[in-house]
Amino acid sequence: MSLWTEIGQRVFVRRYAFYDQNIGAILGDDGVLIVDTRISHRQADEILADLRELTPLPVGAVVNTHGHNDHAFGNHRFRPAPIWGHERCARMIRETGASQLATVALAIPELAADLAEVVLDPPDRTFDGEFDTLEFDAGAPPYFGDSYPIDWPQTVERMVEHVRGAVVPGHGTVGDRAFAVRSMTELRTIAELASLVHQGVLAIDDAVLRTPYPADAARQPLERALAQLAGTLEVSASA
Ligand SMILES: [Zn+2]
């Protein structure tokens, strides 16, 4: 049985154990579009090998959903294919790629040798559309470490309008429109609770208990939302 799941006509997803990550492959007539490239050249080579279960066609293009290491650090192995990504995704890799590499190598020492061979290769086909990228974890709160929680609900709301079929999160189980709507509602709750705290109506400790997330995961999004409301949120380098 192939580990690729066909979620639409000629649209495939493969779920990798490392970070429980989803990689997309969309088959065209003379090439394949790959969505996200994993964290290292070694992991990217795994995608290329696994792709042979689907098709002998070459990779014609790559899309990076965003500039986090696990989505874009395998890019170089897909050249000479053009790599598409949002302008801010390309900038994130240019500006924070080296520090992301160092951070992950420290956090996961057994990956350090693989990371040492990574050639950072940001998207060369960029766009500045109205949609930002987003990422959800399976059954877990999304990663808020470099997020803008006040803007996020609106971003997802606009995305939800376009959802027809499956929703493939960066990590975890493939969902549907209801999943996207639920995620949007959760993000909106964070923004609303933060605004109550900002207005002095609610204590942050009470807000923490009222989020849809476990208490230990709720503080960071609330604090970032509060900083955003206070105008003190710096544009951060992602880890
Ligand atoms: Zn990720």
Side-chain angles (χ1 to χ4, degrees), residues 127-140:
F127 55 91
D128 188 10
E130 54 185 333
F131 293 107
D132 205 340
T133 57
L134 67 159
E135 176 181 342
F136 298 111
D137 288 311

Side-chain angles (χ1 to χ4, degrees), residues 168-208:
V168 183
H171 306 261
T173 315
V174 172
D176 54 9
R177 191 170 190 281
F179 161 76
V181 169
R182 198 166 55 245
S183 305
M184 174 185 76
T185 310
E186 291 175 359
L187 291 164
R188 195 181 284 146
T189 302
I190 292 289
E192 284 169 2
L193 287 170
S195 123
L196 291 175
V197 175
H198 181 70
Q199 292 162 37
V201 183
L202 188 68
I204 183 152
D205 288 340
D206 295 324
V208 163

